[in-house]
Amino acid sequence: MAAAVPSRVALSAASRFPNRHAVAGDRSCIYKGRFQSLAIPMALSAAAPGKGGVLDRPVEKTTPGRQSEFDVKKKRKMTPPYRVILHNDNYNRREYVVQVLMKVIPGMTVDNAVNIMQEAHVNGLSVVIVCSQSEAEEHCTSLRGNGLRSSIEPASGGC
């Protein structure tokens, strides 16, 4: 039966001779590669410290004068949130407002832009995004640069 299916490895010799060691090229050997037993390379990789073992922590290399990724994330979380507010005006067309919102705000979808534009049109103003103060100032400046009326204010009570 082993000759009929060439992709299978016959294990009958290994089961008949349990104390026999596997030899490369032998039909009873399951793994035909550099290591005859998969336990050897696993033991070697686990035993060598600093060589990518399971318990090694990734080392974050920082250059002098730069902050680590952890510090940047911590600083971003610590800054108080600000709201970017879009004000209604009678000068810009609705389609243009949607296009500007999608261009200026990263990740803005058509549906969100239409909802923000419609809320500003009906209520007089709408919250575009809640973000850090520096990002809010950049978004507000970009919206004003494209002819839209916008402002920022601290977001009291979170979002």
Side-chain angles (χ1 to χ4, degrees):
M1 179 171 173
V5 180
S7 64
R8 293 191 180 178
V9 177
L11 297 176
S12 59
S15 62
R16 280 186 274 160
F17 305 106
N19 293 334
R20 183 175 162 228
H21 296 294
V23 179
D26 188 14
R27 295 193 70 177
S28 63
C29 179
I30 296 173
Y31 180 77
K32 296 180 183 178
R34 185 170 150 199
F35 297 101
Q36 298 303 320
S37 172
L38 290 178
I40 293 171
M42 287 183 197
L44 288 176
S45 67
K51 300 291 183 187
V54 178
L55 299 177
D56 290 343
R57 289 188 177 192
V59 178
E60 184 178 343
K61 298 178 182 177
T62 58
T63 56
R66 294 189 183 219
Q67 295 177 338
S68 69
E69 185 178 334
F70 176 76
D71 292 337
V72 171
K73 287 181 180 177
K74 185 177 177 184
K75 183 186 236 185
R76 196 177 305 149
K77 288 181 182 178
M78 298 293 285
T79 59
Y82 276 74
R83 292 186 187 120
V84 178
I85 300 173
L86 176 69
H87 299 272
N88 185 35
D89 61 8
N90 295 324
Y91 308 110
N92 295 307
R93 296 178 54 85
R94 295 180 183 188
E95 296 83 10
Y96 177 73
V97 174
V98 170
Q99 288 176 352
V100 170
L101 286 171
M102 290 174 50
K103 181 175 79 170
V104 169
I105 309 298
M108 179 68 68
T109 62
V110 176
D111 293 333
N112 287 343
V114 168
N115 289 338
I116 290 168
M117 176 274 305
Q118 189 63 29
E119 184 179 345
H121 181 71
V122 172
N123 299 330
L125 55 91
S126 175
V127 176
V128 177
I129 190 171
V130 178
C131 54
S132 67
Q133 182 178 4
S134 61
E135 291 175 353
E137 290 172 352
E138 290 177 16
H139 294 317
C140 184
T141 304
S142 298
L143 290 171
R144 288 178 181 172
N146 285 293
L148 302 181
R149 292 177 49 202
S150 62
S151 63
I152 63 169
E153 69 178 19
S156 59
C159 298

